[in-house]
């Protein structure tokens, strides 16, 4: 062991110290011990490279800080990135009514799976499914824990050990390296690719049909676009071919636009569940926490006989939603039923005009201080995000702060209270106000000042 490594204190020694005992009392000894081991291992590695490992108190403070971030749980942040459905920041923020509904369900017993009128056992998502049928006109509905689960359950139920036809241009990869072929393999279905990446014709599907075909699957490429020399059959054409061939037609819409209405004011080109059903899809799957603006959930709509088969599959229990998800989804769907969708945060952010966003940017600049050197209000572009409406930009406004060390400044913003996520640019950072609520502006202004206080990050 080198002399530098010997300077690093032991875990037990730091835990026995007075600061270590105080930290153990507030954070819990097991967690502090684990984070101390990690920090000290990193310090020893640094010492081997000739880097000063730091003082014992500094190492203990680093471990305690790491443990504190663990026990503090999820932390609300200000999203000033302009990405409306920011997957890393939790996608759709819930309406206040949905958040309250989830909190009530979490803190008390509920009528989750019981019919109060008869006292017999019921289904946990009955109310949500009733509203989904009313909004979309679907024969039947099923709610599971996310869209990937909805597709997996559909394939496992309807096409296990059978072939499923998919266009090569629709073999998408969603977040976290999760791919359609992988879902297909886990379901037990056999993937049969048809057509090419940019052009797939109805004849390609027709030529691949045989007595081993279990389904035709259409996947909406919600996180990319193929443009130029392209071709793809429409939903109605595929539905007609599937019907004539006696196989189910599944359409993974994915991004969660629920009906014709919900596209008003949004970027064009995003399919919705209602259109997919009207075009003849037998089953349609979608997310709940994207353009629907609700909690994480997977939605299945379509033919009653097929939905019932999914409901009875053993996998259905493994992918069911819990009571907090159900409560939040019910509250969001009730807003659709009552015509209150404009109160859903995602819809508010997507429909807001550039002038409305500009007013909030001007308010932030004035609150920070109109004469702040290097800061100015300027136009920018927001995006929908969450693998939805790729290539479509929303005109927006933000406050740009010029500084020579954008990465350091952004890191300080993320580590502040409240934490703030912004966009880094070549000559500074940008706070896009489309994804910042009016009531967050004062906190954002304070966070900016705290990040700048006593530092030369604005100096050229």
């Amino acid at each position: 062991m080198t002399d530098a490594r010997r300077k690093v204190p032991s875990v037990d020694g730091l835990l026995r110290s007075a600061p270590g005992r105080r930290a153990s009392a507030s954070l819990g000894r097991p967690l502090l011990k684990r984070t101390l081991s990690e920090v000290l291992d990193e310090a020893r590695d640094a010492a081997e490279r000739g880097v000063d490992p730091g003082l014992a108190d500094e190492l203990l403070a680093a471990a305690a800080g790491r443990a504190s971030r663990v026990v503090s749980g999820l932390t609300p942040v200000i999203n000033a990135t302009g990405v409306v459905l920011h997957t890393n920041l939790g996608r759709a923020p819930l309406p206040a009514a949905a958040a309250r509904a989830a909190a009530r369900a979490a803190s008390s017993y509920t009528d989750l799976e019981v019919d109060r009128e008869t006292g017999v056992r019921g289904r946990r998502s009955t109310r949500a499914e009733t509203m989904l049928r009313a909004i979309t006109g679907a024969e039947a509905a099923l709610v599971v824990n996310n869209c990937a689960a909805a597709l997996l359950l559909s394939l496992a139920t309807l096409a296990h050990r059978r072939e499923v036809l998919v266009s090569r241009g629709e073999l998408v990869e969603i977040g976290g390296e999760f791919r359609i072929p992988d879902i297909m393999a886990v379901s037990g279905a056999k993937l049969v690719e048809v057509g090419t990446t940019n052009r797939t014709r109805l004849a390609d599907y027709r030529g691949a049909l045989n007595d081993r075909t279990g389904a035709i699957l259409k996947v909406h490429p919600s996180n990319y676009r193929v443009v130029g020399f392209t071709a793809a059959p429409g939903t109605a054409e595929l539905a007609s071919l599937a019907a004539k061939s006696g196989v189910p037609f599944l359409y993974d819409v994915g991004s969660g636009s629920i009906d014709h209405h919900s596209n008003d004011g949004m970027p064009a080109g995003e399919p919705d569940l209602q259109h997919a059903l009207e075009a003849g899809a037998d089953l349609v799957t979608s997310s709940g926490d994207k353009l629907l603006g609700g909690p994480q959930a997977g939605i299945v709509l379509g033919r009653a006989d097929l939905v019932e088969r999914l409901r009875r599959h053993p996998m259905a229990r493994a992918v069911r939603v819990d009571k907090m998800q159900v409560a939040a989804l019910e509250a969001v769907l009730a807003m659709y039923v009552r015509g209150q969708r404009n109160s859903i945060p995602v819809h508010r952010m997507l429909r807001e005009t550039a002038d409305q966003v500009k007013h909030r940017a001007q308010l932030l600049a004035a609150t920070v201080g109109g004469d702040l050197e290097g800061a100015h209000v300027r136009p920018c572009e927001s995006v929908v995000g969450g693998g939805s409406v790729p290539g479509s930009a929303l005109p927006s406004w933000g406050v740009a702060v010029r500084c020579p060390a954008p990465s350091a400044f952004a890191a300080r913003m993320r580590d502040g209270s409240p934490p703030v996520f912004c966009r880094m640019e070549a000559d500074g950072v940008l706070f896009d106000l489309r994804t910042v609520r009016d009531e967050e502006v004062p906190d954002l202004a304070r966070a900016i000042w705290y990040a700048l206080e006593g530092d030369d990050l604005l100096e050229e």
Side-chain angles (χ1 to χ4, degrees):
M1 182 181 292
T2 65
D3 289 341
R5 287 177 64 89
R6 290 192 183 94
K7 292 179 182 178
V8 178
S10 68
V11 171
D12 288 340
L14 288 177
L15 288 173
R16 288 196 300 269
S17 68
R21 290 196 299 272
R22 288 194 296 271
S24 293
S26 64
L27 298 170
R29 182 183 172 89
L31 178 60
L32 181 61
K33 183 176 181 179
R34 173 174 287 276
T35 56
L36 263 175
S37 296
E38 294 172 356
V39 168
L40 296 183
D41 284 344
E42 292 165 8
R44 293 185 187 99
D45 290 342
E48 286 284 5
R49 300 192 304 271
V51 178
D52 184 1
L55 300 175
D57 287 348
E58 294 172 339
L59 295 171
L60 178 59
R66 191 174 296 183
S68 180
R69 286 190 289 275
V70 172
V71 298
S72 63
L74 291 176
T75 302
V77 306
I78 294 178
N79 176 12
T81 66
V83 181
V84 176
L85 295 169
H86 198 306
T87 298
N88 294 350
L89 302 184
R91 288 189 181 161
L94 290 178
R100 289 194 298 269
R104 286 196 304 271
S107 60
S108 64
Y109 293 109
T110 68
D111 57 347
L112 179 65
E113 288 189 5
V114 63
D115 184 315
R116 295 204 307 270
E117 184 178 350
T118 63
V120 301
R121 182 168 184 168
R123 292 202 303 264
R124 63 179 51 203
S125 54
T126 293
R127 288 174 290 265
E129 291 166 6
T130 298
M131 287 186 279
L132 283 165
R133 294 199 307 272
I135 296 165
T136 65
E139 282 185 17
L142 175 66
V143 176
V144 294
N145 63 358
N146 62 29
C147 187
L151 181 58
L152 176 64
L153 178 61
S154 300
L155 292 169
T157 302
L158 304 179
H160 185 69
R161 294 182 178 176
R162 295 178 68 81
E163 296 179 354
V164 177
L165 313 185
V166 187
S167 168
R168 284 189 172 89
E170 297 175 358
L171 296 176
V172 305
E173 176 181 312
I174 59 178
E177 298 183 2
F178 207 61
R179 299 176 174 181
I180 289 294
D182 297 336
I183 298 175
M184 192 87 71
V186 172
S187 75
K190 180 182 178 182
L191 169 65
V192 176
E193 302 176 21
V194 298
T196 63
T197 301
N198 60 319
R199 293 180 69 83
T200 301
R201 300 175 179 84
L202 193 65
D204 294 319
Y205 289 92
R206 189 180 294 114
L209 283 164
N210 59 60
D211 58 4
R212 297 182 301 277
T213 304
I216 294 175
L217 171 64
K218 180 176 178 60
V219 181
H220 171 47
S222 61
N223 56 4
Y224 70 93
R225 286 285 185 269
V226 178
V227 297
F229 187 57
T230 63
T235 306
E237 292 177 284
L238 288 173
S240 176
L241 176 63
K244 291 175 182 176
S245 305
V247 298
F249 171 42
L250 315 182
Y251 188 178
D252 181 24
V253 171
S255 58
S257 185
I258 195 167
D259 62 10
H260 309 326
H261 246 118
S262 57
N263 277 330
D264 292 346
M266 292 187 187
E270 196 66 20
D272 62 72
L273 302 176
Q274 193 174 52
H275 272 120
L277 291 167
E278 291 173 354
D282 294 309
L283 284 186
V284 182
T285 56
S286 180
S287 291
D289 56 344
K290 292 187 179 183
L291 293 178
L292 181 67
Q296 177 179 301
I299 295 168
V300 184
L301 301 173
R303 280 172 39 187
D305 60 325
L306 299 184
V307 171
E308 187 59 28
R309 287 177 61 185
L310 267 62
R311 199 185 304 280
R312 294 180 179 278
H313 193 282
M315 189 184 293
R317 183 175 179 86
V319 298
R320 68 181 182 177
V321 284
D322 72 5
K323 64 180 181 178
M324 284 83 79
Q325 287 174 290
V326 170
L329 182 60
E330 288 174 352
V332 170
L333 291 173
M335 298 176 79
Y336 279 87
V337 170
R338 294 169 179 155
Q340 299 170 340
R341 69 184 73 207
N342 287 337
S343 298
I344 297 172
V346 166
H347 289 262
R348 189 271 300 167
M349 286 184 271
L350 292 177
R351 287 182 168 85
E352 201 168 35
T353 67
D355 284 343
Q356 290 172 307
V357 180
K358 182 179 182 180
H359 174 75
R360 199 155 51 248
Q362 291 170 330
L363 177 61
L364 173 63
T367 306
V368 170
D371 59 349
L372 178 64
E373 183 68 26
H376 62 284
V377 176
R378 71 167 176 81
C380 59
E381 290 184 338
S382 305
V383 295
V384 177
S388 301
V389 204
S392 295
L394 302 168
S396 187
W397 285 81
V399 174
V401 177
R402 289 192 296 272
C403 60
S407 179
F409 184 76
R412 185 169 295 187
M413 294 297 301
R414 294 193 302 272
D415 201 37
S417 181
V420 176
F421 287 74
C422 56
R423 298 212 299 255
M424 282 186 289
E425 300 187 325
D427 60 348
V429 297
L430 175 72
F431 302 92
D432 187 328
L433 273 292
R434 179 172 292 277
T435 48
V436 177
R437 301 192 305 269
D438 289 342
E439 59 269 27
E440 290 177 322
V441 170
D443 289 336
L444 177 54
R446 281 192 295 272
I448 293 172
W449 271 116
Y450 290 151
L452 297 172
E453 201 172 49
D455 204 285
D456 61 355
L457 286 174
L458 288 183
E459 295 181 5
E460 296 292 341

